[in-house]
Amino acid sequence: MSLKAKTLPSFDPQMVPVVGVDSHLKAVDAEALTPQALRQHFLRQPEWSPELRAEHQFSERVPSHASVLIPVMMRAEPTVLLTQRTAHLSSHSGQIAFPGGKADASDADAIATALREAHEEVGLEPQFADVLGILPHYTTGSAFIVTPVIALISPEVRLCANPDEVAHIFEVPLAFLMDPANHRRHQVEWDGATREWFSMPFRDSQAEWFIWGATAGMLRNLYRFLRA
């Protein structure tokens, strides 16, 4: 069966106007972001509902399962490890992403997929990852049904970017990402519908990293989970 993809809209997501910032929402308290507090929150499994489940589809390919690892680095101030994909990749080139990818038949489950992909992309050895749990599926516009896997990462880990897939590895304070004052809303009209997404731009000594789309959406769901 042939698969037909719709033509993607030609726009620079960084140039799409901001239509709102959620500074009216409460940030996750700092004491709730410690490794022990995160473990306890996943053990409690509070009742909650993800804010974002699926993007407006731009692909007619058969949906496939994938996983990403949301690696929380156990620094004095916890951070989230992110990557910038290389410019030559066929999909999502140059974008900010979590380590992750498509499930293989040999993977035991979604967690195994996330850990395998993290090892392949950034050299993360599984023994340095303490998996806390998973968040609900997030379906991307490119028809990937993604399982986000949350893990605490030992500060003793040594990482190395796979140059075929990862241009840069960087970290963002978890407190920054869990503060809705840093969550910006965007809108664009395309394919007869209004497409909306979040962005969470973060500047460090290297660059300003434009975190948006599926990556920002899964972080927004993590915020909702931690506030539950």
Side-chain angles (χ1 to χ4, degrees):
M1 180 179 66
S2 63
L3 299 177
K4 181 177 66 174
K6 300 175 183 177
T7 302
L8 284 172
S10 178
F11 66 87
D12 179 350
Q14 299 188 62
M15 299 303 293
V16 174
V18 175
V19 297
V21 178
D22 284 349
S23 53
H24 62 287
L25 297 176
K26 190 176 186 302
V28 179
D29 293 335
E31 54 267 30
L33 300 178
T34 66
Q36 185 56 31
L38 292 171
R39 286 193 188 95
Q40 290 301 315
H41 200 78
F42 273 89
L43 287 173
R44 285 197 301 271
Q45 284 297 312
E47 185 177 344
W48 74 293
S49 180
E51 182 174 347
L52 304 169
R53 292 183 180 272
E55 298 175 349
H56 183 71
Q57 296 296 292
F58 57 77
S59 172
E60 294 179 6
R61 59 182 292 277
V62 175
S64 56
H65 285 273
S67 293
V68 297
L69 188 70
I70 302 182
V72 178
M73 308 297 290
M74 292 192 290
R75 312 290 188 198
E77 179 185 4
T79 63
V80 174
L81 182 144
L82 290 160
T83 70
Q84 183 181 41
R85 293 167 62 82
T86 54
H88 66 265
L89 291 173
S90 60
S91 64
H92 309 296
S93 60
Q95 291 189 12
I96 305 305
F98 300 114
K102 189 175 178 180
D104 281 353
S106 59
D107 294 334
D109 52 25
I111 292 174
T113 299
L115 293 175
R116 174 182 55 76
E117 287 284 342
H119 182 254
E120 292 175 3
E121 292 185 10
V122 299
L124 175 61
E125 297 286 350
Q127 64 265 29
F128 292 104
D130 176 9
V131 175
L132 301 180
I134 64 175
L135 296 182
H137 294 321
Y138 182 102
T139 302
T140 69
S142 51
F144 283 102
I145 304 168
V146 181
T147 300
V149 177
I150 319 299
L152 298 175
I153 310 300
S154 167
E156 298 176 358
V157 70
R158 294 294 179 266
L159 303 174
C160 181
N162 177 345
D164 291 333
E165 299 186 57
V166 175
H168 298 284
I169 300 172
F170 64 100
E171 298 177 28
V172 179
L174 180 59
F176 175 92
L177 297 170
M178 296 298 101
D179 184 350
N182 300 315
H183 298 183
R184 309 191 311 180
R185 296 176 178 269
H186 301 256
Q187 286 183 352
V188 68
E189 296 296 324
W190 169 62
D191 194 32
T194 301
R195 185 182 178 192
E196 301 179 348
W197 69 83
F198 284 100
S199 73
M200 304 169 186
F202 176 75
R203 179 176 292 279
D204 62 13
S205 60
Q206 299 182 69
E208 180 172 85
W209 308 105
F210 191 71
I211 306 163
W212 76 292
T215 302
M218 286 182 270
L219 286 168
R220 177 70 171 203
N221 284 345
L222 178 60
Y223 161 76
R224 290 297 190 185
F225 171 71
L226 294 179
R227 282 286 297 148

